[in-house]
Amino acid sequence: MANKVKVVLGVIGADCHAVGNKILNHAITAAGYEVINLGVLVPQEEFVNAAIETDAKAILVASLYGHGEIDCRGLRDRCREAGIEDIMLYVGGNLVVGKTDFKEVEKKFLDMGYNRVYQPGTLPDIVIADMKEDLK
């Protein structure tokens, strides 16, 4: 596994939705990446620390309970402060409470410093294709 690209995966904040996390873990591993899966209920610091400790090239954040906007705010700043400002940040799921046009949600998260934003129901193959392009 020494030459595989490492990525950190987890469900942020107080969210305990585990099924999508397990599906992504399996699919991304099968695509040839080394996944450091932090599981559920993961604070921002744990994502940053895991990325530093493992020399990961990306952090993949999931949030399904609608409070991603709150839980995800500031992660790019934490990465900058920790010296990993260039790490790729991916986020997806039910990121906001209520019905909001996805283009608005996407803009909000891009403005927060995320490189890729995925709406609910995005298939793992889409994420993997983006990773292959971004992590060359």
Side-chain angles (χ1 to χ4, degrees):
M1 281 202 191
N3 56 355
K4 290 186 178 185
V5 173
K6 296 175 187 160
V7 298
V8 174
L9 171 67
V11 181
I12 199 165
D15 195 336
C16 61
H17 289 89
V19 175
N21 176 274
K22 291 184 185 308
I23 292 168
L24 277 171
N25 184 26
H26 176 75
I28 295 168
T29 300
Y33 294 88
E34 182 177 342
V35 178
I36 295 87
N37 190 348
L38 304 177
V40 299
L41 304 168
V42 182
Q44 286 189 10
E45 309 83 50
E46 199 170 325
F47 282 102
V48 173
N49 291 340
I52 291 168
E53 290 168 13
T54 62
D55 193 29
K57 302 303 177 206
I59 296 174
L60 290 86
V61 177
S63 182
L64 294 162
Y65 75 143
H67 298 286
E69 183 177 357
I70 296 164
D71 293 336
C72 293
R73 187 176 310 281
L75 182 58
R76 175 59 72 193
D77 292 333
R78 285 183 188 267
C79 291
R80 276 190 203 101
E81 291 165 8
I84 56 170
E85 58 275 348
D86 294 331
I87 195 163
M88 294 294 296
L89 293 181
Y90 299 79
V91 65
N94 295 317
L95 299 172
V96 297
V97 175
K99 299 275 185 203
T100 305
D101 181 66
F102 180 70
K103 286 292 178 198
E104 289 178 42
V105 174
E106 182 180 41
K107 182 181 180 335
K108 199 174 287 194
F109 281 82
L110 291 172
D111 288 348
M112 279 190 236
Y114 288 82
N115 301 95
R116 301 274 189 171
V117 185
Y118 302 98
Q119 60 190 326
T122 301
L123 296 176
D125 291 350
I126 307 259
V127 177
I128 292 164
D130 287 343
M131 289 172 56
K132 285 181 180 174
E133 181 180 322
D134 298 339
L135 304 176
K136 292 180 202 172

